[in-house]
Amino acid sequence: MPPTVRDYFRNPPFRTLAGSLSVHTGENDFAELKIHETLQKQIEEYFKTRPVTVTILVGDQGGGKTWTLSWLYRTFMEGQKDTLVVGVPRIELRGIPERGLLEGLFKGLKPQMEEIKQTMGKMEFPSNLKGTAAEYIWNAISDNEAYSILSGAGGRLPSLNGIIPPPMTKTEGTLELFLALFRFLSILGYARILVLMDEVESLFVAYGKSDIFKFTNYLRGIYDEFESDDGRTLPRLVLVMSGTYGVLAGVSPALVTRQIDESDASQALLRRLAPSFYLKFESMEDALEIASHRIGVHRKVTPDNPYIPYDEKAIEYVWKYNTGNLGNFSRDLQQMYDFALKERASKITLAHAKRAVAVFQKVDEESKS
Amino acid sequence: MSGAELNRIPMLKLPAKKLDTSLVALVTAENGLRDRVIDNILSSVYPHTWRTKEERAALEKRFMRALVAPTLTRLHFARSSPPKYFRPAPNASILKEKDDEFRKSYTALCVFDFATLGLGLSNDVLPPNGSLRMTAAESGAKIIDRVRGLDAILRFYLQYHPERGKPNLTSTLNIGHTDDYEGQSEKLYGLLRLVLPKEQVIHVDVARSLVIRKLAEGNTMVSSFVVDEWLRIAIRHLKLSSFKGPFTSIDSLMDGTKAIGGVMMRGER
């Protein structure tokens, strides 16, 4: 009996949903392309040249933003020892968004908590910062109740060792705690902090103009504090927010048009934003690289029979149809695989590709109507 | 033509003869502020005076909100972002600096392109070959009422259309068509590379305006509906990156079921 598609793969090669931002997301499947390398170099450049950088990673839904952030997470964690990466998978949509960001940061520290506590055990808290919010954070890290409230459990922060915490329900309080957290991390020896924030568009859907203005103004405040400090007590910060075109237009219409609305209050933030990075894949080489990487990872190793079960034309067809959208590209490739598997086919061909595209074209049209 | 197809035609209540003055009122208003456009409408299109705020609000409702705004927005001459702005859309982006003759010809081109490309109506039902009103006769009074506004505008603007009307009016002008770059796609990508900023996402309206303006410099008039077709070709051939908008809106560039909000011309990396 001739081999079929099933005989070539250990498991389905194309997962279509990204999962949430974490150090392990897409670990084996992620295909590192030139565009990712460019982004990494850009962030390195920011660390070298600016005390603080706020930038937006723009891509479509299914454009590979979460996997890119997860890859950045891994890449920078494996890099220099003085670099800390904090992944914020989403900002919880309750209360004020700036509190959500702060809570997300504390929650994002969890994977590094053991290392942080070990470092704390080896040193004394600096006397010149005694009684400040930074000392409060130092104490809160070891206090389960305070840490869980800071991570989003809700409730009122307790006083610790006689230090009254800034109020988390007020914007100025969250800013003080935010800066205190980064001063604390600087004390521990982290000179470069990369904050990766995913799913930012939900903010723009859930909150009204006034809340968004306060949030962008909050980011502006963070920017100014880091810039004025210029590395004296605060580490270098690169904050990457990932979002769709809607986020870009939501932060300010001036980012995508030449019109400036009078009501566009985020003008002050705009001047401080680093150029956005656009996650778009156009070349056929990218498509083949992604497909062959995924096929390679999931293929059963048969060195005596190095058969490539996908026709390049099939991949090209799906790629062009999806105009470079990675999520839909993977979805259609998986559908092709499913068709071939069901038919016990020995090769995935252009005909499978056309049928796969037709399935989702129909689904898209039905959902639209 | 079925009733369902005719039902897609927007109801336009602005009298055809008022379209031109409304466009002038739009493009001569300062800063795209809605209040300035209303001032212009109430001084030149529907001259009225008012004494109180309430009287002005009533006039705004009667003329701007009922007649002018829906027609200009549906024909893609204006974009409305209430309460503050009422701005020229790409089809009005070159009208300010052009003379009466050009404006009328260009308006005619836009309304006919709206009917054929925007609504997908066949030339058989458009003047001079046919009439929307006659076509709608079988579908009942409600549909006739729906199509009569666009029908009147098409009939009125036929005389100014550079190709369908009197050809001598704009003999020195070239007209942009959807098939202009058929078999010469590199020429189209060259044009887009020339006009669109590299490595920057721009709203599709900005892209449309940039193309329209560039071609107008070379004496070619093209409507945003034709530019949309060109942008779609470039997107499908992966020469132009597209970004889905947060929702479908009147200014979205529709590509199948995908509502594109922004585009980006990729630079050399």
Side-chain angles (χ1 to χ4, degrees):
Chain A
M1 199 173 146
T4 65
V5 168
R6 187 193 297 275
D7 301 316
Y8 295 108
F9 295 107
R10 278 193 301 271
N11 44 31
F14 300 102
R15 275 171 50 204
T16 52
L17 294 172
S20 68
L21 166 67
S22 80
V23 74
H24 299 298
T25 301
E27 205 165 16
N28 295 318
D29 284 332
F30 184 79
E32 189 185 321
L33 305 173
K34 205 176 159 194
I35 192 170
H36 300 116
E37 208 181 298
T38 311
L39 174 62
Q40 185 199 346
K41 279 186 186 156
Q42 187 67 65
I43 293 173
E44 287 286 1
E45 191 63 26
Y46 288 147
F47 273 130
K48 274 186 209 151
T49 55
R50 300 161 167 234
V52 54
T53 307
V54 180
T55 186
I56 304 175
L57 175 70
V58 187
D60 268 339
Q61 286 101 340
K65 299 184 295 297
T66 302
W67 278 32
T68 301
L69 289 186
S70 298
W71 172 79
L72 283 175
Y73 200 145
R74 289 189 291 278
T75 308
F76 278 89
M77 281 297 280
E78 287 160 7
Q80 296 174 29
K81 266 206 138 185
D82 64 348
T83 306
L84 181 76
V85 186
V86 186
V88 182
R90 69 188 157 276
I91 292 180
E92 297 298 341
L93 301 175
R94 57 182 156 73
I96 52 174
E98 44 273 34
R99 179 175 175 166
L101 170 61
L102 186 72
E103 290 172 347
L105 280 174
F106 276 98
K107 212 188 271 181
L109 282 177
K110 258 182 195 159
Q112 286 85 8
M113 197 48 83
E114 207 170 307
E115 188 188 316
I116 287 172
K117 283 183 177 167
Q118 270 178 13
T119 315
M120 283 168 73
K122 291 180 203 158
M123 61 194 299
E124 286 285 314
F125 188 80
S127 53
N128 60 329
L129 291 172
K130 286 270 182 201
T132 63
E135 192 188 5
Y136 183 85
I137 299 294
W138 177 283
N139 295 328
I141 291 291
S142 322
D143 183 284
N144 285 343
E145 189 198 351
Y147 182 72
S148 69
I149 293 170
L150 284 168
S151 313
R156 197 189 168 106
L157 282 172
S159 296
L160 295 174
N161 296 345
I163 304 171
I164 299 165
M168 266 184 97
T169 47
K170 297 260 183 349
T171 302
E172 57 271 30
T174 55
L175 183 61
E176 211 180 325
L177 285 165
F178 186 100
L179 296 171
L181 169 65
F182 282 86
R183 285 205 173 96
F184 160 74
L185 293 171
S186 178
I187 291 166
L188 296 185
Y190 294 110
R192 312 189 318 163
I193 312 254
L194 174 64
V195 175
L196 305 167
M197 257 170 81
D198 204 6
E199 308 284 353
V200 179
E201 56 265 32
S202 52
L203 280 182
F204 292 85
V205 176
Y207 290 100
K209 216 166 184 172
S210 124
D211 282 330
I212 294 294
F213 166 64
K214 282 182 201 156
F215 183 68
T216 52
N217 204 39
Y218 178 74
L219 291 179
R220 176 195 163 182
I222 290 170
Y223 186 99
D224 287 350
E225 290 287 346
F226 272 77
E227 196 164 71
S228 319
D229 185 85
D230 201 18
R232 278 180 290 115
T233 63
L234 290 166
R236 293 202 163 223
L237 168 68
V238 175
L239 173 62
V240 183
M241 299 186 281
S242 89
T244 53
Y245 171 81
V247 170
L248 206 58
V251 169
S252 169
L255 283 172
V256 290
T257 65
R258 282 153 192 201
Q259 296 163 337
I260 297 169
D261 281 4
E262 196 182 63
S263 55
D264 180 11
S266 44
Q267 279 301 308
L269 174 68
L270 286 191
R271 289 182 50 240
R272 292 161 174 84
L273 274 182
S276 306
F277 193 89
Y278 306 110
L279 203 57
K280 271 286 177 184
F281 309 90
E282 258 78 37
S283 73
M284 196 51 217
E285 288 77 47
D286 285 350
L288 292 173
E289 174 70 34
I290 293 164
S292 75
H293 177 82
R294 298 280 280 270
I295 289 166
V297 167
H298 294 272
R299 245 187 76 195
K300 285 180 181 170
V301 182
T302 52
D304 52 329
N305 188 16
Y307 178 75
I308 299 168
Y310 278 82
D311 255 355
E312 276 194 14
K313 275 186 180 167
I315 293 170
E316 190 179 339
Y317 181 81
V318 173
W319 183 249
K320 283 195 170 166
Y321 177 78
N322 287 304
T323 56
N325 184 299
L326 282 185
N328 294 349
F329 173 60
S330 298
R331 178 192 71 178
D332 289 353
L333 289 183
Q334 185 61 43
Q335 182 64 57
M336 282 159 51
Y337 165 88
D338 290 340
F339 278 144
L341 195 67
K342 206 172 168 187
E343 290 166 12
R344 301 189 63 79
S346 60
K347 199 174 186 186
I348 298 167
T349 61
L350 183 61
H352 289 117
K354 286 184 177 171
R355 278 169 54 204
V357 162
V359 167
F360 290 106
Q361 196 174 18
K362 206 174 159 195
V363 170
D364 286 347
E365 273 163 18
E366 277 169 6
S367 65
K368 183 88 182 170
S369 64
Chain B
M1 183 167 268
S2 71
E5 281 171 294
L6 292 168
N7 219 10
R8 284 175 35 225
I9 295 174
M11 196 181 268
L12 306 175
K13 294 180 184 168
L14 184 72
K17 283 180 185 167
K18 296 279 189 190
L19 179 57
D20 190 53
T21 45
S22 299
L23 281 170
V24 174
L26 169 74
V27 297
T28 54
E30 292 167 64
N31 305 326
L33 287 173
R34 198 181 182 89
D35 271 349
R36 297 289 83 79
V37 180
I38 295 168
D39 286 345
N40 286 356
I41 300 284
L42 297 181
S43 66
S44 59
V45 187
Y46 290 101
H48 276 80
T49 51
W50 65 91
R51 277 167 299 176
T52 62
K53 242 170 96 177
E54 288 71 29
E55 272 178 31
R56 189 180 186 276
L59 292 171
E60 182 205 336
K61 191 175 177 185
R62 194 167 144 206
F63 298 117
M64 179 72 179
R65 275 156 58 192
L67 304 175
V68 178
T71 305
L72 294 190
T73 52
R74 298 286 155 75
L75 293 173
H76 295 251
F77 285 116
R79 301 280 186 235
S80 178
S81 10
K84 204 123 203 171
Y85 297 97
F86 193 79
R87 289 171 163 142
N91 281 338
S93 60
I94 50 169
L95 294 183
K96 196 172 180 178
E97 56 262 38
K98 298 288 181 182
D99 60 17
D100 277 12
E101 189 186 0
F102 181 95
R103 192 178 58 248
K104 284 177 180 160
S105 291
Y106 185 68
T107 307
L109 183 75
C110 290
V111 292
F112 274 89
D113 281 354
F114 171 70
T116 53
L117 300 171
L119 298 173
L121 300 174
S122 97
N123 278 319
D124 299 340
V125 297
L126 303 179
N129 307 326
S131 134
L132 282 176
R133 227 175 133 173
M134 297 295 283
T135 311
E138 292 171 11
S139 307
K142 229 174 161 181
I143 297 289
I144 294 175
D145 208 32
R146 172 169 279 280
V147 306
R148 66 165 23 126
L150 180 62
D151 187 54
I153 290 173
L154 289 167
R155 277 189 286 113
F156 180 79
Y157 273 95
L158 177 66
Q159 59 183 314
Y160 301 112
H161 194 284
E163 285 174 339
R164 296 170 192 251
K166 295 175 189 167
N168 59 333
L169 262 177
T170 46
S171 54
T172 56
L173 288 171
N174 302 312
I175 313 298
H177 299 99
T178 52
D179 56 0
D180 278 357
Y181 295 100
E182 215 169 82
Q184 314 178 66
S185 43
E186 276 312 316
K187 217 173 147 189
L188 168 64
Y189 309 145
L191 168 73
L192 297 178
R193 272 194 292 272
L194 184 71
V195 265
L196 305 183
K198 312 271 180 313
E199 292 289 322
Q200 189 196 339
V201 174
I202 49 170
H203 190 276
V204 277
D205 262 357
V206 179
R208 288 168 179 141
S209 299
L210 288 171
V211 174
I212 291 170
R213 282 180 166 280
K214 184 71 196 170
L215 291 179
E217 283 171 19
N219 254 359
T220 298
M221 50 163 97
V222 60
S223 71
S224 70
F225 308 103
V226 171
V227 176
D228 280 2
E229 289 294 324
W230 295 347
L231 294 177
R232 272 190 280 265
I233 291 169
I235 288 166
R236 282 176 198 159
H237 288 87
L238 302 172
K239 297 292 177 188
L240 191 65
S241 299
S242 62
F243 291 83
K244 261 167 99 171
F247 42 78
T248 306
S249 59
I250 196 163
D251 52 3
S252 303
L253 170 64
M254 296 306 297
D255 189 18
T257 53
K258 188 175 166 189
I260 295 164
V263 290
M264 179 181 72
M265 178 52 74
R266 207 170 253 308
E268 296 301 321
R269 279 193 184 271

